[in-house]
Amino acid sequence: LVLSAASSGGLVAYADSKQENAAEPPEKKKLVVLGTGWAGTSLLKNIDTSLYDVKVISPRNYFAFTPLLPSVTCGTVEARSIVEPIRKIVKRKTDPVKFLEAECFKIDSVGKKIHCRSDVGTSLNGTGEFEVDYDYLVIAVGATVNTFNTPGVAENCHFLKEIEDALRIRRSVIECFERASLPCLDEEEKRKHLHFVIVGGGPTGVEFAAELHDFVTEDIAELYPHLSELVSISVIQSAEHILTMFDKRITTFAEEKFLRDGIEVRTGYRVVKVSDKDVTMKGHSMDEVSVPYGMIVWSTGIASRPVIRDFMNEIGQGKRRVLETNEWLRVPQCDTVYSIGDCATISQRKIMEDLVEIFKMADKDNSGTLTLDEIQDVIEDIYVRYPQLELYMKSKHMIDIHDLIKDAKDDFELSIEDLKNALAEVDSQVKSLPATAQVAAQQGEYLAQCLNKMEECHEHPEGPLRITKSGRHFFRPFRYKHFGQFAPLGGEQAAAELPGDWVSFGHSTQWLWYSVYASKQVSWRTRYLVLSDWTRRFIFGRDSSG
Ligand code: FAD
Ligand code: MG
Ligand code: MG
Ligand code: MG
Ligand code: MG
């Protein structure tokens, strides 16, 4: 006889191990995960399936390694090499994970169910629509491109978000060359067809421009020798520099390299319209200019998906731009809904809002003032709950609390007013996390760990302030760990910004990039494929059949 306690409310079920089919299995909570991108996949890898009945719903039945998407646009890496079937990823879990290829189009957090639609299902019951119940929902649907409602963008621009986009771009680049090779065009027209425009000077746009430049100089020049002189590549950026999220030194290095390579960087221009032939832009206090193009890629940032917008309206987040979660990644308006990755942002609690409570908690003897000892006792907890304090101290080169509270001597006593003054600027350090794979993957892993421990921490794991030393179960709020970022710049050169203010550029950094991206692959299979693609490219060049 097997005795097992069901997770829901201490129900006890008895099951005869010899007749397992006849017995009621202990009921597991239903966990539904939306999305198979960086966030969803990382959660699935780390979730304990013996605790939850896990269902994954996504229109894509695979995980795609997005950092190598720009390499797919020019055939440096094959599309097949950077995708891994989700069913393969979850195959080795203790208990089976169910995958449904469908798109969620409505989240009903009151009825605790989601409404889904499947393309394949249409022929089955007419609509292809179905509902799925959940006990816990994890929204990890990523984001969509942001066109800023610029006219003509949706109709005429390529995006670079999905595998299909990268393949379309690849075909389109080669088509431009074939079109320009036709005898009926004069040189002026050939130049137009060979003008490649990238809107957006962020990491994706810059990497694509570099990749395209390599393709043109290394491969196309040999195959279309008469055309390579006529090719031009432009990056249009609304800010004053490209790669603004990187260190200034990297921005400068990238801009100088692009200048040497002949990639035109038009900073301070905003695209206002795209027709099927021209892109129209406007600089500060300048008239609009229109430039003909052969192919245009739009890469200017992300926006919430419609299903998330509707959900936000429903739960009273309609005025926000992005779905908000607390630091435990839970949607504050819904007890059982979590959101991770590009579709959500964390709203970090302000230290000023909790100052009275922090003070009371620290003032153990209720004297109305704090001694240094009293502060020192709680400072670790405050760091955990309000990471901005640690960031603030670092940014001001302060080592400990003595530096923060000027003239602190051992017999020093602090009133709430003093504390307020000392912490006044701390909240200005709160920054939202970037929409990157690194953040999404860490959030997926963190949330899986929380869910795995959910039963242990039955009472609400979070509160405005929880003390770690109390011995109670406590989930630390999510804390992002930045491992640095790369910007491949073409010509076997890359720039990297690594933790500790360490910046490097050049050929050796490109090799670092190769090794990091090889090691980050989800499986040995994709690692092997990516490595062999790189080798193939070194030996034979890129494939230009389209
Ligand atoms: P995604 O990975 O986009 O996954 C979303 C998932 O949800 C997908 O499986 C999608 O099919 C599914 N989905 C969509 N709608 C629905 C729906 N209605 N119902 C159910 N499922 C749905 N980040 C880095 O850190 N380093 C890089 O070098 C880097 N390079 C990048 C290069 C490119 C070209 C791009 C586009 C992005 C790059 N990023 C990089 C960013 C990174 O890819 C994203 O931050 C990351 O993918 C976010 O993960 P996510 O799980 O939130 O969303
Ligand atoms: Mg995801
Ligand atoms: Mg992804
Ligand atoms: Mg996010
Ligand atoms: Mg006191």
Side-chain angles (χ1 to χ4, degrees), residues 341-342 344-345 443:
D342 283 3
T345 54
Q443 290 184 337

Side-chain angles (χ1 to χ4, degrees), residues 129-233:
E129 288 180 10
F130 58 91
E131 290 172 10
V132 178
D133 296 330
Y134 67 83
D135 293 309
Y136 297 107
L137 178 67
V138 177
I139 307 175
V141 296
T144 178
V145 287
N146 195 348
T147 65
F148 300 99
N149 293 322
T150 313
V153 171
E155 297 83 357
N156 299 302
C157 293
H158 284 276
F159 302 110
L160 183 47
K161 205 74 187 88
E162 313 281 341
I163 292 282
E164 293 83 8
D165 298 331
L167 291 173
R168 267 195 293 268
I169 289 176
R170 183 174 174 182
R171 266 194 306 277
S172 166
V173 169
I174 293 163
E175 261 170 36
C176 288
F177 280 93
E178 293 302 351
R179 235 182 288 141
S181 303
L182 295 175
C184 46
L185 302 179
D186 63 21
E187 192 177 308
E188 176 70 17
E189 283 169 312
K190 286 183 188 191
R191 276 187 199 281
K192 284 181 192 168
H193 284 294
L194 296 177
H195 182 208
F196 298 96
V197 174
I198 294 117
V199 187
T204 303
V206 165
E207 193 179 342
F208 171 66
E211 188 70 44
L212 187 63
H213 176 261
D214 280 1
F215 183 46
V216 170
T217 49
E218 291 165 17
D219 303 274
I220 291 289
E222 262 177 50
L223 300 171
Y224 306 81
H226 51 296
L227 291 181
S228 60
E229 284 301 299
L230 307 176
V231 177
S232 56
I233 301 174

Side-chain angles (χ1 to χ4, degrees), residues 359-360 362-371 374 413-414:
F359 192 89
K360 252 195 242 149
D363 187 16
K364 295 225 176 59
D365 58 0
N366 284 323
S367 64
T369 53
L370 302 183
T371 61
E374 279 175 329
E413 300 242 322
L414 198 69

Side-chain angles (χ1 to χ4, degrees), residues 372 401-413:
L372 269 180
I401 198 76
H402 285 84
D403 296 326
L404 188 67
I405 301 157
K406 281 194 262 352
D407 316 318
K409 295 189 200 74
D410 282 347
D411 58 353
F412 184 80
E413 300 242 322

Side-chain angles (χ1 to χ4, degrees), residues 134 145 212 217 261 280 350 422 432 437 538:
Y134 67 83
V145 287
L212 187 63
T217 49
D261 288 347
T280 309
K350 305 269 194 316
S432 55
F538 269 113

